[in-house]
Amino acid sequence: MSAAKFVSSFRLASLLRHEKDPSAAFKLFRNPNPETANPERPFRYSLLCYDIIITKLGRAKMFDELQHVLYQLKSDTRIAPTEVIFCNVIDFYARGRLPNHALQLFDDMPLYRCQRTVKSVNSLLNALLKCRQFEKMSDILLGMEKFGNPDACTYNILINGCFRNGCCDDAWRLFDEMLRNKVKPSGVTFGTLIHGLCRDSKVKEALKMKHDMLKMYGVRPTIHVYASLIKALCEIGELSLAFKLKEEANEGKIKLDSAIYSTLISSLLKVGRSNEVSGLLEEMRENLCKPDTVTYNVLINGFCIKSDTESACRVLDEMEEKGCKPDVISFNMVLAALCKAKKLTEASYLFEDMPRRGCGPDVVSYRVVFDGLCDGMQSKEAASILDEMLFKGYKPRRDGLERFLKGLCQNGNLEILGKVMGSLHQRDAIDAEIWSIIIDTAFKELKICHMSDSIDLLLTR
């Protein structure tokens, strides 16, 4: 029998790179040569091996295993890790919402034989921003001089943090400081500032900043700048100016995304200019910007608001024809519009057809159809939907259930009422308050004189 092939550090790096299962990769990393392991001659890992396994474990959020590898790296004095490895780990901790881990690793970087610069400071600031640790961001800034001068990335992160924390004045002070320190603002800087102005309804100031960023600072507006401005203009009804900005972006060879087109389509529908929507959709396709689910949902919502259920259903069909799968929100909007229009048969057909079309109903779907059937006095169908809803672990809206039960009492539908009460009891969806409502209604509507008689009557149905 031939001896097992020895795995070198070069071979290990290749094996780790091609191993898709992070748990298996970690096991391989821990013991690359199980049959030839020699405690007196430990395996000599390369920096590439460490980098690959750290990336795999970080992406998989296997933080306990990642900690083990980092501890081993700290002890492996042959290796001098690069700063980018720690920047990546700090980002992994941010995604896992582990800001204290990120802070600790940053403090420990010298123990790994790695010098900290503004790059790792920026990674830490960004991690704290993602975790909304605004006060800790300020603490890091106080000791910034030890690691180098703040760059554009530093200021961008800090300005973003100020806006997110509601400290708009501090954001503008940071921008002034940035200019004083001769740090050139970037497109991200202006995108953040303009977004903040738009959010505060300062659209005129935001438009001026867009003009100044090119004329005064030589920075071309980005898609994020146009997105913020177009959305803000649409919100205040300045559609002509919003479309002018769209044309300006197109002329500047800035590829607009579906979110911007969706905003414009929604605004057109709100002001009754639905005849212009088809042209905008055609422009999207010409610009190789494929309408997505959000775009189509905007269309569906616009038609539903106007009670144009026929057009809303047509959009659902078009989505599938164009290879864009409707989501549960798409179906729920149409279901709600059909129920509101008392088109209960169509709503029921659509509801039953959802699984075949690749989208199972959720709790909202069931509630919409149940409430619609109740309002339409279709008690038998409503009871069936309720039973299915309870079976799936969903519960109806409290007020809708109470109206349904009272209606059954008032109409003398004792057989359906008994089945519904039994179903509610079986699924633990009935409480003392519901019993009180039913018994009280039974006294008034069914002329039952004794509480025990009303309970017996319901339970024997």
Side-chain angles (χ1 to χ4, degrees):
M1 185 175 180
S2 61
K5 186 177 180 180
F6 179 78
V7 175
S8 66
S9 61
F10 178 82
R11 174 66 175 158
L12 177 60
S14 178
L15 292 172
L16 290 172
R17 184 181 287 109
H18 290 93
E19 177 56 64
K20 295 182 180 180
D21 182 357
S23 296
F26 177 64
K27 185 177 179 181
L28 176 62
F29 177 85
R30 291 286 306 276
N31 197 1
N33 290 304
E35 297 184 14
T36 59
N38 185 351
E40 296 180 1
R41 296 186 62 186
F43 188 86
R44 295 173 68 85
Y45 294 90
S46 67
L47 179 58
L48 181 59
C49 291
Y50 282 110
D51 190 12
I52 293 171
I53 192 63
I54 284 171
T55 301
K56 282 187 177 292
L57 296 174
R59 287 175 177 169
K61 296 186 177 181
M62 296 172 62
F63 295 116
D64 290 339
E65 292 82 356
L66 178 57
Q67 290 284 87
H68 177 90
V69 174
L70 289 173
Y71 179 78
Q72 181 175 317
L73 178 59
K74 188 191 297 184
S75 305
D76 196 342
T77 55
R78 301 175 305 103
I79 303 292
T82 58
E83 188 178 20
V84 68
I85 289 178
F86 297 99
C87 292
N88 290 335
V89 176
I90 288 171
D91 185 53
F92 293 139
Y93 284 144
R95 295 182 199 176
R97 296 298 181 264
L98 297 170
N100 291 332
H101 284 60
L103 283 163
Q104 187 63 56
L105 181 63
F106 179 78
D107 290 339
D108 289 347
M109 280 176 62
L111 301 178
Y112 290 85
R113 304 158 300 281
C114 183
Q115 183 179 355
R116 294 170 292 182
T117 71
V118 68
K119 290 181 181 178
S120 49
V121 174
N122 289 344
S123 294
L124 180 60
L125 287 172
N126 195 48
L128 296 173
L129 173 63
K130 288 181 179 178
C131 298
R132 303 187 67 81
Q133 300 288 313
F134 302 117
E135 290 185 9
K136 292 179 180 178
M137 289 177 68
S138 301
D139 294 340
I140 298 297
L141 187 61
L142 291 175
M144 182 76 193
E145 69 280 353
K146 294 184 293 184
F147 312 109
N149 295 322
D151 59 12
C153 182
T154 312
Y155 282 109
N156 290 342
I157 295 167
L158 293 171
I159 289 170
N160 193 2
C162 288
F163 277 120
R164 288 197 189 185
N165 198 28
C167 303
C168 301
D169 291 340
D170 290 341
W172 290 103
R173 276 194 287 270
L174 280 168
F175 179 63
D176 291 338
E177 178 186 312
M178 187 179 189
L179 298 178
R180 285 198 306 273
N181 291 340
K182 295 183 170 42
V183 177
K184 185 179 178 180
S186 66
V188 174
T189 313
F190 289 107
T192 304
L193 292 169
I194 287 172
H195 178 74
L197 288 169
C198 291
R199 191 182 61 183
D200 292 341
S201 301
K202 297 179 179 178
V203 185
K204 186 181 293 186
E205 292 90 332
L207 287 167
K208 183 179 184 305
M209 174 153 279
K210 183 191 80 71
H211 177 269
D212 291 345
M213 67 183 286
L214 182 59
K215 296 296 182 182
M216 295 177 59
Y217 304 100
V219 180
R220 292 177 62 83
T222 64
I223 185 173
H224 302 293
V225 169
Y226 282 107
S228 295
L229 287 168
I230 288 172
K231 181 180 178 182
L233 288 167
C234 287
E235 286 176 351
I236 62 174
E238 291 285 352
L239 264 65
S240 59
L241 191 49
F243 274 88
K244 184 178 178 182
L245 282 181
K246 174 187 74 71
E247 293 303 322
E248 180 184 303
N250 283 331
E251 290 170 5
K253 306 299 182 184
I254 293 176
K255 185 175 174 59
L256 301 181
D257 59 20
S258 60
I260 293 177
Y261 281 108
S262 297
T263 299
L264 292 168
I265 289 170
S266 177
S267 299
L268 287 175
L269 292 171
K270 284 180 182 177
V271 298
R273 292 164 58 180
S274 56
N275 58 310
E276 298 177 42
V277 170
S278 58
L280 209 52
L281 289 171
E282 184 59 33
E283 180 183 313
M284 288 182 70
R285 297 185 182 100
E286 289 176 358
N287 292 339
L288 302 180
C289 178
K290 190 176 180 180
D292 58 12
T293 305
V294 174
T295 309
Y296 283 112
N297 282 352
V298 166
L299 277 170
I300 291 171
N301 183 56
F303 289 128
C304 288
I305 289 174
K306 296 183 178 299
S307 300
D308 187 354
T309 56
E310 186 177 338
S311 295
C313 290
R314 194 160 52 243
V315 173
L316 267 183
D317 295 336
E318 182 182 331
M319 288 178 74
E320 294 175 303
E321 291 170 6
K322 300 293 185 181
C324 182
K325 185 179 177 181
D327 61 13
V328 73
I329 297 173
S330 316
F331 286 102
N332 287 346
M333 286 190 292
V334 179
L335 286 172
L338 289 170
C339 289
K340 185 179 179 181
K342 306 299 181 185
K343 297 180 179 180
L344 300 179
T345 301
E346 293 179 40
S348 297
Y349 284 153
L350 181 61
F351 177 81
E352 292 169 4
D353 203 32
M354 284 177 66
R356 184 191 65 79
R357 298 172 76 164
C359 182
D362 65 359
V363 62
V364 176
S365 315
Y366 277 100
R367 287 176 174 177
V368 165
V369 175
F370 174 70
D371 289 346
L373 292 170
C374 291
D375 293 341
M377 305 298 289
Q378 296 190 17
S379 303
K380 186 177 179 180
E381 292 80 0
S384 177
I385 289 290
L386 177 61
D387 185 62
E388 186 179 330
M389 187 190 324
L390 295 170
F391 177 77
K392 292 198 172 184
Y394 301 145
K395 289 185 178 181
R397 278 185 284 262
R398 182 81 182 196
D399 58 340
L401 178 61
E402 290 179 5
R403 287 198 310 273
F404 179 52
L405 294 174
K406 285 181 180 179
L408 291 176
C409 287
Q410 291 166 354
N411 295 323
N413 291 330
L414 297 183
E415 183 176 353
I416 295 177
L417 179 60
K419 289 180 179 179
V420 169
M421 295 298 286
S423 182
L424 290 168
H425 177 71
Q426 185 180 1
R427 308 293 178 192
D428 279 334
I430 191 168
D431 54 30
E433 188 176 347
I434 291 290
W435 272 114
S436 176
I437 291 170
I438 296 305
I439 292 169
D440 182 60
T441 307
F443 282 149
K444 293 178 181 177
E445 302 294 337
L446 303 179
K447 312 300 181 185
I448 298 173
C449 300
H450 300 287
M451 182 181 296
S452 59
D453 293 339
S454 65
I455 295 175
D456 290 341
L457 181 63
L458 292 172
L459 293 180
T460 54
R461 291 284 165 176

